[in-house]
Amino acid sequence: MARPGAACPPPARRVMVAARALLFWALVYSYCGVCACIAGLRLLWSIGRRPGETFRWVVRENPPSCLNDPSLGTHCYVRIKDSGLRFHYVAAGERGKPLMLLLHGFPEFWYSWRHQLREFKSEYRVVALDLRGYGETDAPPHKENYKLDCLIADIKDILESLGYNKCVLIGHDWGGMIAWLVAICYPEMVTKLIVVNFPHPSVFTEYILRHPSQLIKSGYYFFFQMPWFPEFMFTLNDFKVLKSLFTSQATGIGRKGCRLTAEDIEAYLYVFSQPGALTGPINHYRTIFSCLPLQHHEVSMPTLLLWGERDAFMEVEMAEITRIYVKNHFRLTILSEASHWLQQDQPDIVNKLIWTFLKEETKRKRE
């Protein structure tokens, strides 16, 4: 949007901008069609091999005991005045301690931070949130309710509702995207930023257009633009795709990592097998192409970026490029044997790196 009083661009430039926009959306919808065709072929293959199993979908009625483990913290709810939405979170550590706010990725929920809830509660009030549309948090029905502006405002409003004006903010995957944006838009609210396996959003948008390999790895962004079909594909074979994401050789937690137990997997299946439980999470992606690229880029607080080199969805080259957007102390650590699900895959190492960063920054500030 042009600034008030600014001169209108010349006709040639307007044509160029319109042409670029047309090409961009042509790419988005063309690739969306390609991804849909691939998904359709997989569906037909599954029906041909196991027709009886393909459409099996079991709704888990009762949560596994791990979701109510008292060592993880207390289940809490907060209703935001402006949006009217009720958010669910799990909190560990004493009230009044510095706040550490944890934002999960897709397809995850608060439980993906179980190792960090136990670890950091000694010195922080640790809050693992269910993002808008996930788990026990309210899920507005329309995709417009999941624009990045809404997701950023959620974090600001939740922080204030918890009685804090600043926090250590940690995000993984899509939660990492939100964490970057909160740090950019509300720098006064973030004392330290820690992101796991997601580059600065500007790096992501620029890199994906120049590297076809990353475009292919991010194919699900395009596939998710379709209505209802992505949710349907997730339910096939009793959520085989969901299980595979965390356990397969290609995308799952590595052989040297902390594998999910059968109960951990049941926790994910309990949350996402509920009717309509996938629409909110996938709606996060359905407005992404109208929200990027960013107008503002720089991050001004100390930042730690952790990266699992065996990430099947994000190329590691983006991690180093992120450095140029952080105008403060920046530390990047790449773990060679770790997967995309880094804080679950290598929790001991991740927790140690976070402690080192937090204490290092405190010491630097004192000096």
Side-chain angles (χ1 to χ4, degrees), residues 50 186 208 337:
R50 297 179 178 178
Y186 298 105
I208 195 173
E337 295 295 328

Side-chain angles (χ1 to χ4, degrees), residues 156-172:
K156 175 181 179 293
D157 293 341
I158 286 166
L159 200 68
E160 294 171 351
S161 298
L162 294 175
Y164 288 85
N165 57 22
K166 57 185 177 180
C167 70
V168 172
L169 186 59
I170 305 182
H172 168 249

Side-chain angles (χ1 to χ4, degrees), residues 80 82 101 151-161 164 182 186 188-189:
I80 304 303
D82 289 345
L101 187 59
L151 306 180
I152 297 167
D154 284 345
I155 307 307
K156 175 181 179 293
D157 293 341
I158 286 166
L159 200 68
E160 294 171 351
S161 298
Y164 288 85
V182 171
Y186 298 105
E188 71 282 359
M189 302 185 75

Side-chain angles (χ1 to χ4, degrees), residues 111-170:
Y111 187 68
S112 68
W113 297 109
R114 59 196 176 280
H115 302 292
Q116 288 68 45
L117 282 163
R118 291 191 182 103
E119 177 70 21
F120 295 100
K121 65 183 180 181
S122 60
E123 293 189 22
Y124 289 89
R125 175 69 169 173
V126 188
V127 170
L129 187 67
D130 273 345
L131 296 175
R132 176 184 291 224
Y134 282 84
E136 295 185 58
T137 291
D138 286 347
H142 303 296
K143 69 178 184 180
E144 289 75 17
N145 297 125
Y146 295 85
K147 288 185 176 181
L148 291 175
D149 287 347
C150 298
L151 306 180
I152 297 167
D154 284 345
I155 307 307
K156 175 181 179 293
D157 293 341
I158 286 166
L159 200 68
E160 294 171 351
S161 298
L162 294 175
Y164 288 85
N165 57 22
K166 57 185 177 180
C167 70
V168 172
L169 186 59
I170 305 182

